[in-house]
Amino acid sequence: MFSGYGVTDYKKEYSQALADPQSYWAEQAKNIAWYKAPSTILSKDSNDNDAWFVDGELNSAYLALDYHIEQGRGEQTALIYDSPVTNTKSTYSFIELRDEVARFAGVLDGLGVTKGDRVIIYMPMIAEAAIAMLACARIGAIHSVVFGGFAPRELATRIDDATPRVILCASCGIEFASVIAYKPLVDEALKISEHAVEHCVVLQRSQVAAELGNDIDRDWQSLLADAAPVDPVPVLSSDPLYILYTSGTTGKPKGVVRDNGGHAVALSYSLRKLYNVKAGEVFWAASDVGWVVGHSYIVYGPLFAGCTTILFEGKPVRTPDAGTFWRVIADHGVNVFFTAPTAFRAIKKEDPDAALLKDYDVSSLRTLFVAGERTDPATYEWLCQILGIPVIDHWWQTETGWPVASVPMGIEYSEPKAGSVALPVPGFDVQILSEAGERQGAGQEGDVVIKLPLPPGCLPTVWGDHQRYLDAYLSEHPGYYHTGDGGYVDEDGYLYIMGRTDDVINVAGHRLSTGQMEEVVAAHPAVAECAVVGVEDRDKGQVPAGLVIIKDGVNIEPGKLQDELVAMVRAEVGAFANFKQIVLVQRLPKTRSGKILRQVIRKIADRKPYETPATIDDPVILHEISDALRDGKIGLIGEGS
Ligand code: COA
Ligand code: AMP
C-alpha cells in the first residue's frame, strides 16, 4: 500500500553495516561537515571502550546552524515555537537562530564558561531552552537538561553529579492552566545540593516574575544585552556534547554521556535513512527537551538535517482541545511527526472518532512515528485508520540516543506489524539471549541485547562512574550491551519489546526508577519496608504502586498514609511520577534468605504469568498481592499468613 519509499535493499544495507562497521560508518561520516575529517573510524578510548571517529574535529552547533547558512538555507525557518498555553507562535530562520545562539554563547563565555564545563538547563518548552543547548555546544560546554517536572531533590542530585558552573532556568513553566514557578524550585535544589553553582541565570517570563535575590542570580536579558556573539569552537569527536540523566535500577540516576562526533553522524543518518526527511522539510517531535527525544529530535537531529523543527509548548489535549496536534501539523505543514503513544491515548479518549481531525488539512503528513513506551494494538489500529499513512512504532533508549529498531523509511519500506517495533536498524546487531546467555530462536522470549560494538551515537560511559556503565550495561552478557528490555524476534526478523526486565517503569512515556520512589516511601516514619512496582494503566501505560509494610506498633489509617506518601513522592520526585496508590502488606515476598522477590512482584503487577520461586518463604502472599493490585485496594493484606 505504501510502496515507493525504498531506494535500496534493507537486508543488503543491514548486513554491510554488521560485516564491516568501519567502512559503513566511514561512508556515513562523509555526510557531515567536519572541521577535520576523522582518519581513525573505530578505536578504543581510555576506558578500553569502542570509540568512533576519535581524531575528527567538529562543532555540533555549527553543523546545526552555520553550515546551513553557508549552504544557502539562511532564510529558511529553522525553528518554530508554537505555544497554545501562551497563545504565541514565533519563527526563527537559520540566520536568526544562529545569531541568538551565538549571542547566548557570548553570555556563557562572559560568565567564564569554557570547553568541558557543565551547564544545567532547567527550562520549560520555550525556544530559549534550545538556544541554551546550542549555545553550550557552540563553546564546547557540556549541557545537562533536567526535565522541568522533576522536584528540587532530583535537580539537586543532578547538580551534585554534574557539578555545573552555571544553571539556566526560566521563571516558570505552564502545565495546562497552572503556572509553575521554577525559581523557588531551583533555589531549593541549590540549598539541598553540596556543589556550589557560580551563576544562576533566570529568564523572566511574563506569567511569573522570579525574585533574583541571591548573590549568584543573574538576569538572562540583561546579560544578553551586553553579550557579544561567539564563533563555534572545534571540539574532538569524543568530547562530550551533553549529559542526560536517566533512571536506572537504583535511586541515583545515571548520567548518560553523549559524544559530539558519533552523535552528529548517527542523527544525520537517522533523519535520512529512518525518518526519510530532507533539508527544507518540517519534522516535529512532540516531546520535551528534558528527555532524549527532545535532544535528538527536537533540537539536534532536525537541525543537522536542515529541517524546520517545532518546539511545542502544549499538551495533546486541553490546550485547547484534542485537535491541537492536527492544528499544528496543518499550520506548519509537518511532513514527519513523532510522539509517544500516551499522547494519542489521551486524544482518543477525548475524541474517539477523531472528529476534530476533519477540521484540519493534514495532507502534508507522510509518516507518523511513535516510541517511548509500548503502543497498545487498539491505539495503533486507530491511528492507522484515522490517518491512512504509515504508522511506525520504533524502539530506542536514552542510552542509544537514536532508534535501534524501526521501519527504515529512507532505505526500504516493510509493512509494520502491530505490536512490533519492526526491524533492527543497520549498525545494531540485536539479539535475544536467555538468562544463561544462549541465543534464542524465533518467537522465544529473552533479554534484548546488542552485540558490541555499538554503532556511533550510543553512550560511551556514565558521567563520572565508568564502573557503573560496565556494571549496568556490559557485565550481564559479556560482549553485548544489555538494554534492560525483554522481548523476542519473530520468524520474519521483526522485534517485539515486551517490557523492562529491571526496576525501570514507563509512566506516560516518562522513564522512572521504582528504586527512586522506594527511597522516598521508605523515609516515612511509619514505613518499615516497601517495594514500588509498575502497574498496567490504560491511559499512562504504567503507573507506580507502593507495597508498604507499616512499622510494628504504629497505628495509622491507610488512607491517611497513602495521602502522605503520595504527597512525599510528588514533592521529592515530581507529580509526573503519578504515584497515587499504596497497598499495605503484612510481608513482602522474599526468599528464605531475606531478598525481596522483585521479579515476581513485577510480573504480578504486569499481569504476566509467573512461576512461584522454589526459594520463596511464603507463596500465599503472591496471590494476595495480585488481588490487591488488581482491585486497587488499600488495606492490610497478608494478615496471619
Ligand atoms: N512540569 C511540571 N509538572 C509536570 C510536568 C512538567 N513538565 N509534566 C507533568 N507534570 C505534572 C502534571 O501537571 C500533573 O500534575 P497534577 O497531578 O498536579 O495534575 C502530573 O505531573 C501528571 O502529569 P501527566 O502524567 O503528564 O498527566 P496529565 O493528566 O497532566 O497529562 C497527558 C496527560 C497525556 C496530556 C500527558 O501525560 C502527556 O502529554 N503525555 C505525553 C508525554 C510525552 O510526550 N512523553 C514523551 C516522552 S518521549
Ligand atoms: P527512555 O530512555 O526514556 O527513552 O526509555 C527507554 C525505554 O522505553 C526502553 O528501554 C523501553 O523500555 C521503552 N520503550 C521505548 N520505546 C518503546 C517502544 N516503541 N515500545 C516499547 N517500549 C519502548
Side-chain angles (χ1 to χ4, degrees):
M1 177 183 176
F2 303 111
S3 58
Y5 283 88
V7 283
T8 53
D9 178 21
Y10 160 74
K11 279 194 177 137
K12 197 172 100 203
E13 192 125 354
Y14 186 73
S15 40
Q16 267 174 5
L18 292 201
D20 187 358
Q22 301 228 26
S23 309
Y24 188 80
W25 290 108
E27 207 47 41
Q28 305 309 327
K30 290 181 186 158
N31 290 305
I32 67 160
W34 300 87
Y35 291 143
K36 177 174 169 271
S39 58
T40 303
I41 302 303
L42 180 59
S43 55
K44 295 282 181 189
D45 63 16
S46 55
N47 289 318
D48 201 31
N49 218 49
D50 295 313
W52 290 95
F53 318 121
V54 282
D55 61 343
E57 286 179 24
L58 73 164
N59 181 283
S60 295
Y62 164 81
L63 293 181
L65 301 167
D66 309 60
Y67 169 74
H68 299 296
I69 299 166
E70 289 166 15
Q71 300 301 303
R73 283 193 284 278
E75 303 298 337
Q76 182 202 307
T77 302
L79 186 141
I80 299 169
Y81 165 62
D82 186 313
S83 169
V85 293
T86 58
N87 258 321
T88 319
K89 279 188 219 173
S90 48
T91 62
Y92 298 77
S93 68
F94 274 96
I95 292 176
E96 288 165 340
L97 190 59
R98 191 271 318 266
D99 290 348
E100 293 284 343
V101 168
R103 258 189 342 126
F104 197 71
V107 168
L108 295 173
D109 188 50
L111 294 174
V113 177
T114 58
K115 195 159 137 180
D117 285 342
R118 274 80 58 210
V119 174
I120 280 193
I121 302 173
Y122 183 68
M123 294 181 77
M125 284 291 287
I126 53 178
E128 286 80 358
I131 290 169
M133 290 164 76
L134 290 160
C136 290
R138 199 167 184 86
I139 58 169
I142 303 167
H143 60 71
S144 188
V145 184
V146 178
F147 174 59
F150 275 119
R153 195 183 79 123
E154 290 294 324
L155 178 57
T157 306
R158 287 153 178 79
I159 292 172
D160 280 337
D161 198 74
T163 59
R165 292 187 78 168
V166 174
I167 180 159
L168 307 173
C169 73
S171 60
C172 67
I174 301 163
E175 284 293 302
F176 296 110
S178 55
V179 173
I180 298 172
Y182 275 26
K183 182 64 173 28
L185 304 176
V186 173
D187 286 345
E188 175 68 18
L190 290 171
K191 223 182 274 167
I192 307 171
S193 61
E194 283 174 16
H195 171 71
V197 171
E198 290 167 41
H199 307 279
C200 174
V201 182
V202 185
L203 178 79
Q204 299 285 14
R205 302 186 77 188
S206 60
Q207 295 77 11
V208 165
E211 220 177 281
L212 306 188
N214 303 327
D215 288 351
I216 63 165
D217 292 344
R218 307 277 175 271
D219 176 63
W220 185 296
Q221 293 300 351
S222 320
L223 293 176
L224 202 55
D226 297 333
V230 165
D231 283 337
V233 300
V235 298
L236 279 175
S237 174
S238 54
D239 283 336
L241 169 66
Y242 68 76
I243 307 166
L244 180 56
Y245 287 88
T246 192
S247 299
T249 48
T250 67
K252 188 171 186 266
K254 286 183 285 211
V256 168
V257 172
R258 190 83 56 218
D259 67 2
N260 273 275
H263 175 251
V265 172
L267 289 194
S268 306
Y269 174 90
S270 72
L271 267 290
R272 277 180 291 120
K273 302 270 190 171
L274 308 182
Y275 297 106
N276 195 30
V277 278
K278 293 173 193 59
E281 293 193 311
V282 184
F283 186 95
W284 178 29
S287 176
D288 190 286
V289 286
W291 304 120
V292 70
V293 177
H295 284 62
S296 295
Y297 297 113
I298 296 175
V299 181
Y300 289 106
L303 295 178
F304 286 156
C307 293
T308 300
T309 187
I310 299 176
L311 213 139
F312 173 71
E313 188 183 26
K315 302 277 176 178
V317 290
R318 295 187 278 141
T319 55
D321 58 28
T324 203
F325 276 7
W326 316 133
R327 194 271 301 160
V328 173
I329 292 167
D331 277 4
H332 307 301
V334 173
N335 301 115
V336 174
F337 180 38
F338 173 179
T339 195
T342 293
F344 287 116
R345 285 197 293 270
I347 294 173
K348 183 167 161 254
K349 197 171 164 190
E350 294 206 1
D351 183 19
D353 299 324
L356 294 168
L357 177 59
K358 298 181 186 73
D359 296 343
Y360 302 99
D361 175 6
V362 296
S363 57
S364 60
L365 192 65
R366 279 202 305 268
T367 323
L368 168 67
F369 286 86
V370 285
E373 54 172 336
R374 188 177 161 269
T375 307
D376 56 289
T379 304
Y380 183 81
E381 298 300 345
W382 182 77
L383 286 166
C384 292
Q385 187 224 320
I386 64 165
L387 290 171
I389 55 168
V391 177
I392 313 291
D393 183 4
H394 65 326
W395 166 73
W396 51 296
Q397 327 177 288
T398 305
E399 289 87 342
T400 64
W402 64 292
V404 181
S406 181
V407 173
M409 295 301 281
I411 300 176
E412 182 180 328
Y413 178 74
S414 347
E415 194 75 41
K417 298 187 191 186
S420 167
V421 294
L423 301 165
V425 164
F428 289 100
D429 188 354
V430 177
Q431 299 187 12
I432 309 294
L433 298 183
S434 70
E435 253 178 60
E438 288 144 0
R439 204 157 170 185
Q440 302 289 80
Q444 283 181 296
E445 229 180 279
D447 291 342
V448 182
V449 298
I450 304 165
K451 193 163 187 287
L452 300 176
L454 292 170
C458 303
L459 85 168
T461 189
V462 167
W463 179 257
D465 195 351
H466 192 67
Q467 191 56 45
R468 189 156 183 215
Y469 168 83
L470 298 175
D471 294 345
Y473 303 113
L474 300 190
S475 58
E476 183 86 17
H477 296 291
Y480 297 85
Y481 165 83
H482 183 65
T483 65
D485 280 307
Y488 67 94
V489 172
D490 73 7
E491 59 289 348
D492 298 323
Y494 278 60
L495 177 65
Y496 292 74
I497 297 296
M498 306 306 289
R500 300 287 304 194
T501 56
D502 56 13
D503 295 319
V504 166
I505 60 169
N506 209 308
V507 182
H510 304 312
R511 178 166 158 180
L512 284 150
S513 150
T514 53
Q516 191 180 19
M517 289 178 262
E518 275 169 19
E519 277 182 16
V520 177
V521 173
H524 189 287
V527 173
E529 204 173 2
C530 71
V532 172
V533 287
V535 185
E536 204 178 279
D537 181 82
R538 203 192 49 194
D539 299 328
K540 294 180 196 290
Q542 277 183 303
V543 288
L547 303 178
V548 173
I549 302 176
I550 297 184
K551 280 182 186 156
D552 282 347
V554 173
N555 192 5
I556 183 164
E557 200 265 312
K560 182 170 183 294
L561 179 61
Q562 177 165 278
D563 289 349
E564 289 176 10
L565 292 174
V566 167
M568 282 170 73
V569 175
R570 283 176 72 91
E572 307 237 338
V573 177
F576 75 100
N578 280 288
F579 181 87
K580 292 188 176 148
Q581 188 201 348
I582 64 161
V583 176
L584 298 188
V585 291
Q586 195 77 353
R587 290 199 279 166
L588 286 167
K590 287 188 181 173
T591 60
R592 284 186 208 102
S593 60
K595 216 169 152 244
I596 298 179
L597 287 158
R598 286 174 193 281
Q599 254 195 38
V600 189
I601 306 179
R602 251 196 332 261
K603 282 191 176 152
I604 293 173
D606 282 347
R607 293 179 202 171
K608 282 187 182 155
Y610 64 90
E611 278 172 25
T612 305
T615 52
I616 194 166
D617 59 350
D618 176 14
V620 178
I621 188 84
L622 297 182
H623 302 291
E624 289 168 346
I625 287 179
S626 168
D627 291 347
L629 286 172
R630 192 194 50 226
D631 302 341
K633 182 163 75 184
I634 326 180
L636 202 57
I637 61 165
E639 215 155 13
S641 59

